[in-house]
Amino acid sequence: MAETAHDRAVRLEGLFPRVLRTLFRPNGEDPLVDLPIGQMRMMRLLEAKSWTPSSLGEELGLSVSAVTQMANRLDSTGMLAREEDPADRRVKHLMLTPLGKEKMRARRERRVRLLESVLVHMKEERQDEFIKMLEELLDASAIASKSEDHTSFVDSEMEQFLPISPPYFKEN
């Protein structure tokens, strides 16, 4: 009997977490190993640009008060700063500090090295195919999350493992 889309989805759902845990297993070399997932997601977005708490909350699916609490924690570690909007002093912009940017850079470099050590064991054409397929999966996930009443598993549950870089973020 031929495998259905549901059967493949079941396989993929079981496979993705195992692969990503293997590739990006947290350890002492990760400069942000102790950071909760929510704060990590916030830092990834702030790495690309500054955000207001309300726009960041909308992007993360969180209330402004939840964003403020996470921002306060990151601020206390020296990785996040707030800046007044010159046009409206009531509006604050959140951004990474140089320390926050450095931690994100170090984390990304570590993850790239890990991926490189795996990719060298695959043929170059298979590497390219794999990357294209992941990009296609990400695109399909974005389409599915807009057309159905659910949050994309790539955007939520799996995001903590994916080495998402700023080009994949939505522009506001």
Side-chain angles (χ1 to χ4, degrees):
M1 178 152 99
E3 192 174 42
T4 66
H6 177 79
D7 296 332
R8 287 187 292 277
V10 168
R11 285 178 49 212
L12 188 57
E13 191 276 336
L15 191 58
F16 250 127
R18 289 177 41 217
V19 168
L20 295 173
R21 272 194 307 271
T22 301
L23 288 174
F24 299 121
R25 179 170 284 124
N27 66 25
E29 291 179 36
D30 186 339
L32 299 171
V33 70
D34 295 325
L35 204 64
I37 293 167
Q39 290 177 29
M40 190 68 242
R41 291 179 71 204
M42 180 183 281
M43 287 190 64
R44 270 196 225 108
L45 291 171
L46 292 172
E47 185 178 21
K49 63 178 186 174
S50 68
W51 295 71
T52 63
S54 59
S55 63
L56 195 54
E58 188 175 312
E59 181 71 16
L60 293 170
L62 299 171
S63 68
V64 174
S65 66
V67 168
T68 301
Q69 288 174 8
M70 287 194 315
N72 288 344
R73 288 185 202 109
L74 288 171
D75 189 10
S76 72
T77 66
M79 292 191 284
L80 179 135
R82 292 174 170 91
E83 188 175 283
E84 242 178 41
D85 187 312
D88 185 347
R89 292 183 11 207
R90 296 171 296 175
V91 176
K92 303 286 186 233
H93 292 273
L94 305 175
M95 64 202 62
L96 292 183
T97 63
L99 174 64
K101 289 177 183 177
E102 172 57 27
K103 296 273 187 181
M104 290 299 288
R105 184 201 59 72
R107 181 175 191 266
R108 178 165 286 112
E109 282 182 9
R110 175 188 169 271
R111 292 164 67 109
V112 167
R113 282 193 313 272
L114 288 169
L115 282 169
E116 186 177 19
S117 72
V118 171
L119 289 174
V120 296
H121 299 284
M122 295 172 64
K123 292 181 181 175
E124 192 172 316
E125 58 273 2
R126 297 293 286 168
Q127 293 175 30
D128 292 336
E129 286 175 35
F130 181 68
I131 291 167
K132 286 177 186 169
M133 290 174 74
L134 284 177
E135 291 169 341
E136 190 174 326
L137 179 64
L138 188 60
D139 291 342
S141 176
I143 292 166
S145 69
K146 289 177 185 170
S147 65
E148 298 177 24
D149 190 26
H150 68 21
T151 301
S152 162
F153 75 93
V154 172
D155 289 342
S156 60
E157 187 170 332
M158 303 307 290
E159 184 181 44
Q160 70 222 29
F161 299 110
L162 294 175
I164 297 175
S165 57
Y168 286 104
F169 295 131
K170 290 191 259 183
E171 291 294 325
N172 284 349

